[in-house]
Amino acid sequence: ESELFGYKRGAFTGAVTDKIGKFEAADGGTIFLDEIGEMPMNLQVKLLRVLQERVIERVGDVKSRPLDIRVISATNKNPHEEIQAGRFREDLFYRLNVITGQRPALRDRGEDVHQIAQFLLNKYAYQDGGKARGFSAGCLNALRAYDIAARQGL
């Protein structure tokens, strides 16, 4: 909560100065919330307030601060199942569910897995100064076999 909303000095042990949170830092821009399906219920309520009223309150503060942000969120869980199970607020889902996009899991990408793996290898090998440039035939076979095994439910 203090990461998202910030906090007022003295709000809790260790809060020696005022600190802005991720929402306030994103004011005028976009914030990405990953794994929103893991968010605890009490934090979902506060996020809903941010989306409805466009204001935040830092932890330990009583002053509301106006906010102008766009929110992009992602989850690997089925939101409808989470709502039915009582783990995700339906009203929050409808506030977030303005534009929906689904991406297939890597196991469902077929031959794309090799291209994605090669892209990531190139990116991180370059960043880390590594010398790896490709994958062995055994590794590529394992990637393809995983796709086949996943499709067969193995």
Side-chain angles (χ1 to χ4, degrees), residues 7 39 47 94 115:
Y7 53 83
M39 184 176 281
L47 175 58
Y94 286 110
Q115 292 174 348

Side-chain angles (χ1 to χ4, degrees), residues 106 114-126 135:
L106 284 175
H114 176 242
Q115 292 174 348
I116 293 167
Q118 187 65 50
F119 170 81
L120 293 171
L121 176 71
N122 293 342
K123 177 180 177 179
Y124 293 110
Y126 174 77
F135 297 94

Side-chain angles (χ1 to χ4, degrees), residues 2 32 61 65 98 111 114:
S2 63
F32 174 66
D61 202 353
R65 300 167 190 277
V98 177
E111 286 297 315
H114 176 242

